[in-house]
Amino acid sequence: MKDADILNAAGTIGMLLARDAIWDGERCNWLGPVNDVFFGKMLAGYGTLGPGIYDGTAGIALFLAELGHLTDDPVICATAIGAIKHSVSRFQDCPETISLSFYTGHTGIGYAAIRIGQLCDQPNLLHSGISILKNTLHSDTSGKSVLDVMLGVAASIPAILSLSDVFDKDEIEEPLLIWGRKVLQLGQKSDTGLSWDTSTEMKQNAGDADWLQSDLETRPNLLGYGHGAGGIGLALLELGTAFDARGMTDAGLQAFKYEDHWFDEDRQCWPDLRYYNDPTAKGQTEVAWCHGATGIGLARFRAFELTRHQQFLHDAHKATHLTRNALATRLTPATNLCLCHGVGSDLELILRARDTGPVDDRDLIGKTLDFISENFLQTHHPLPYGGGERHQPPGLMTGLAGTGYAFLRSLSEKQNLAPPSLLCVGSKA
């Protein structure tokens, strides 16, 4: 697809979101899948969205703001501003236990407000985002998730570092290093490297998934980007590089060493250790952003940018090969297009590798974009996200906004049109 076609496809998604927005004064929100506690049990339901990046209004606002910036569409821009105003006004609705997170907490909302304030020339949003981030940086970490990318500070660290045009380095150095030291305190050293028990922290603070409910003490610490050693190790590398903190850098390298220890030479993949006790489990060789090769590849590409260690580039290409093969099988009507564990994150890694890998993936990229456009957008069929024929959530990591963002990420690199990555924040590509 040409850039004009890509923008048109993203614009179609943007207008769907703008059409379905529910307004209250200057703020807007959407209806979608939500989780809520009812009589002590977490239940899935349907209602208005929360304020966060992952599946709330901040994530939708980021997509719409990037789209509006590229198209100068007043409806899209106005909806982006309305969405982030909701997010900023309700940022304290994020559960306190995950408030430090980029994807589910205050950090992501502050980041989004700053980015949208810049894109849409809204100084009040910019100032609100700065205020939220400053408060978050200096908040108490007691009783909060601090470890992984999804719920802790491992994505928040590179996100804040990426705002170099907003924060002075001296202003953020000590708070970020405090986070890094807390992460190191919780690390578990062994001959195989450095890892963390993110599963127990998730179960304590946010967990209701089946795989968190039993046998945690018998499972090795997880691999991968969203909840495992790779994502946390990358955050430590970011800290070490930014502040010349050798201890952080060394710890980051030890985290990747732990991940490498588990590489399955027979299957040529990193196993999903959630299924360590179940060798017949379908997901034991997961290929996704949250668990598996796709997220590992993104982390390895960024680690190569930071260190120039050729082994990271070699590993990134191995992960891309696994993801390429998986993506080729996922272009079916029953697929899941989301960024978290679907086609969207696969596409992000393939795009990341297109100028450095041994394989020319332009045909696969084009085939993927055409598949989404021709089978769903042009035919007005609901886009599939794994929840039934009409399950079309609006959010970034699990729904429409993420698919739209994936289209924008596919824009021409030579013209520097693509917005920054939201799957590996801080990455140069």
Side-chain angles (χ1 to χ4, degrees), residues 188 197 199-200 203 211-221 276-277:
Q188 298 178 2
D197 183 7
S199 297
T200 295
K203 184 175 181 179
W211 59 273
L212 286 172
Q213 302 311 311
S214 62
D215 300 329
L216 292 182
E217 68 279 358
T218 67
R219 301 179 194 177
N221 293 335
Y276 179 71
N277 291 329

Side-chain angles (χ1 to χ4, degrees), residues 88 91 109-110 113-114 122-135:
V88 167
F91 81 94
I109 295 170
I114 289 170
Q122 296 282 313
N124 288 340
L125 286 175
L126 178 65
H127 295 149
S128 293
I130 292 171
S131 176
I132 290 171
L133 286 186
K134 284 183 176 180
N135 288 335

